[in-house]
């Protein structure tokens, strides 16, 4: 990881909206070409190794193969997620310094001792805060912009996502190149470029998180309905 915070001054809201709107008719890789040039050495790709994120790995690699990515290793990732991580690293020849593993400050055992066993089952928001939000805050403090795989049709909370916007929660530029795309477009891209993907997607897991809080969904159901079942929760807090 880089040392020292890479600060980007916050643009005026109307200027940023105008910039974002100017890319509405363009392709995701055109958004990336702009962002990777303007924020070079200050930008990082957030990668959960889901379908959208591996598509972005491929796009980014074609533009600037030196761009780093990070992933949040919650200690509860599926084996299939770790497997596709390794396939992506091998496919694109990613250097160890490019693949930033962010771990929580507490091990699962320490979390259990401090907050009780199976925190994800009783207080999932607190579990996400410890295992995802805090590590995310640490890594983003080193950068001026981050790239995410969110799409507007994934959830109502993402419906108004801009292609380029200011992240008020983490105080940096947020690039959402796939915001306009549908799931079908993502999968067309993966198939066209033969991008390695998480095998759980073939077993009715459209959205993949931690083992304790991710379940398969029925065809036609909300793609995020398999996350945090039995809770009124569809986001871990990374994008809110």
């Amino acid at each position: 990881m880089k040392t020292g915070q890479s600060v980007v001054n916050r643009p005026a809201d109307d200027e940023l909206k105008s910039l974002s709107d100017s890319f509405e008719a363009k392709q995701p890789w055109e958004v990336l070409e702009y962002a990777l040039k303007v924020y070079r050495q200050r930008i990082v790709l957030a990668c959960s190794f889901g379908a959208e994120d591996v598509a972005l790995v491929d796009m980014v690699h074609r533009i600037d193969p030196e761009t780093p990515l990070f992933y949040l290793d919650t200690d509860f990732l599926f084996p299939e997620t770790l497997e596709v991580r390794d396939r992506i690293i091998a496919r694109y020849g990613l250097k160890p310094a490019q693949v930033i593993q962010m771990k929580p400050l507490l091990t699962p055992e320490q979390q259990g001792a401090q907050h009780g066993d199976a925190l994800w089952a009783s207080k999932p928001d607190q579990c996400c805060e410890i295992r995802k939000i805090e590590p995310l805050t640490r890594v983003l403090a080193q950068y001026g912009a981050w790239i995410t795989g969110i799409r507007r049709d994934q959830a109502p909370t993402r419906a108004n996502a801009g292609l380029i916007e200011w992240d008020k929660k983490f105080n940096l530029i947020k690039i959402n190149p796939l915001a306009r795309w549908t799931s079908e477009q993502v999968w067309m891209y993966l198939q066209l470029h033969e991008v390695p993907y998480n095998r759980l997607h073939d077993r009715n897991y459209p959205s993949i998180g931690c083992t304790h809080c991710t379940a398969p969904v029925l065809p036609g159901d909300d793609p995020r309905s398999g996350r945090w079942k039995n809770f009124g929760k569809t986001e871990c807090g990374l994008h809110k």
Side-chain angles (χ1 to χ4, degrees):
M1 190 188 305
K2 294 163 42 171
T3 58
Q5 187 170 17
S6 183
V7 177
V8 168
N9 292 329
R10 178 175 180 173
D13 289 344
D14 57 344
E15 291 177 4
L16 202 53
K17 185 179 187 307
S18 178
L19 174 64
S20 182
D21 289 348
S22 73
F23 285 98
E24 284 290 330
K26 298 184 184 296
Q27 294 291 351
W29 45 88
E30 294 179 279
V31 181
L32 284 169
E33 284 172 353
Y34 169 84
L36 292 171
K37 179 180 179 181
V38 171
Y39 301 107
R40 195 166 195 278
Q41 298 186 332
R42 298 179 295 166
I43 192 168
V44 66
L45 169 63
C47 188
S48 67
F49 301 102
E52 288 79 10
D53 293 342
V54 295
L56 287 172
V57 170
D58 186 88
M59 292 180 196
V60 167
H61 188 76
R62 293 168 186 273
I63 300 165
D64 183 356
E66 300 300 316
T67 302
L69 66 83
F70 73 86
Y71 68 102
L72 303 176
D73 186 348
T74 63
D75 295 304
F76 300 128
L77 298 181
F78 284 91
E80 291 86 349
T81 300
L82 299 176
E83 189 243 359
V84 74
R85 174 201 62 188
D86 294 342
R87 284 192 289 142
I88 287 288
I89 290 171
R91 165 71 180 273
Y92 298 102
L94 300 179
K95 304 181 182 101
Q98 278 182 274
V99 183
I100 303 164
Q101 178 193 49
M102 292 304 298
K103 298 274 285 184
L105 296 177
L106 298 180
T107 66
E109 294 74 22
Q110 290 169 331
Q111 178 174 298
Q114 291 185 30
H115 302 285
D117 291 334
L119 185 62
W120 53 85
S122 59
K123 296 179 180 177
D125 286 342
Q126 186 178 10
C127 189
C128 285
E129 180 69 33
I130 294 169
R131 313 213 72 75
K132 290 186 174 183
I133 307 303
E134 192 282 328
L136 177 65
T137 303
R138 265 188 286 132
V139 69
L140 292 186
Q142 308 299 318
Y143 293 91
W146 67 312
I147 304 164
T148 88
I150 68 173
R151 295 185 293 101
R152 291 169 184 161
D153 69 358
Q154 286 173 323
T157 51
R158 303 180 178 191
N160 297 316
L163 293 165
I164 303 172
E165 58 187 9
W166 182 256
D167 190 322
K168 297 177 183 177
K169 182 167 185 173
F170 298 106
N171 294 310
L172 75 170
I173 295 289
K174 187 175 184 180
I175 312 294
N176 306 312
L178 302 178
R180 293 176 54 252
W181 268 21
T182 63
S183 176
E184 289 74 20
Q185 287 174 293
V186 172
W187 281 100
M188 284 177 60
Y189 184 92
L190 296 183
Q191 291 161 7
L192 177 64
H193 297 288
E194 299 181 333
V195 180
Y197 66 86
N198 194 319
R199 301 185 197 279
L200 289 175
H201 289 311
D202 293 331
R203 288 157 37 197
N204 298 319
Y205 286 81
S207 177
I208 304 166
C210 297
T211 54
H212 299 298
C213 301
T214 308
V217 304
L218 295 173
D221 281 358
D222 182 336
R224 293 187 68 81
S225 64
R227 305 290 294 276
W228 304 284
K229 273 189 176 295
N230 305 316
F231 289 95
K233 176 178 168 69
T234 59
E235 297 276 4
C236 57
L238 305 186
H239 300 294
K240 284 168 51 179

